[in-house]
Amino acid sequence: MPTRPARPCRKMGCRGTTRERHGYCEQHQHLASGWNQPGRATAAERGYGHRWRGLRAMVLRRDRHVCQPCLAAGRATPATEVDHRVPKSQGGTDDPANLQAICGECHAAKTEVDRRAAACPAHRKI
């Protein structure tokens, strides 16, 4: 397979080049974060490829693009994301019954609660 062409480093003012996907030269690769962090698997490698995109679209249609946690609280908020009710890291699956349409704000809050629950059993929901 051919190698990628060298591109300029993403660090402003750096004259280095890189062939890496994250876009930083060797000196600045520590600046890569999130999705472009070195060593992070692609979306497809993490289980969010073609099959997930179809499942996501189906769940959004099923839930009529309305955030389910907001709806339960009496608000109708547009859903932009799909969430695992039981996180995959805690044994959840991609079964449609375990998925819900959710807005970005609710998703961030739920993800934080799930993260804390995984880190400390005292934070687990009863």
Side-chain angles (χ1 to χ4, degrees):
M1 183 185 316
T3 60
R4 292 174 174 249
R7 300 176 309 192
C9 176
R10 292 180 61 192
K11 170 76 171 143
M12 189 174 294
C14 178
R15 293 188 174 169
T17 60
T18 183
R19 295 186 194 299
E20 297 298 325
R21 196 175 68 178
H22 53 73
Y24 290 96
C25 68
E26 194 172 310
Q27 180 183 359
H28 296 113
Q29 70 181 0
H30 66 279
L31 297 173
S33 62
W35 65 268
N36 63 351
Q37 191 168 14
R40 182 175 169 125
T42 65
E45 291 168 342
R46 289 180 284 124
Y48 296 101
H50 177 73
R51 182 180 167 280
W52 168 256
R53 288 188 298 272
L55 190 56
R56 178 185 182 278
M58 187 272 303
V59 170
L60 286 170
R61 277 192 310 273
R62 178 195 71 193
D63 292 345
R64 294 184 165 87
H65 292 268
V66 176
C67 175
Q68 298 305 293
C70 285
L71 188 62
R75 299 183 307 269
T77 307
T80 55
E81 303 172 21
V82 171
D83 174 60
H84 291 86
R85 287 184 169 107
V86 176
K88 289 173 84 173
S89 63
Q90 295 175 16
T93 67
D94 285 343
D95 185 292
N98 188 44
L99 300 173
Q100 64 181 342
I102 195 166
C103 67
E105 189 175 323
C106 287
H107 199 188
K110 182 180 174 299
T111 299
E112 180 63 20
V113 168
D114 292 342
R115 186 188 64 77
R116 287 182 183 204
C120 177
H123 286 99
R124 288 203 172 104
K125 297 178 209 172
I126 299 173

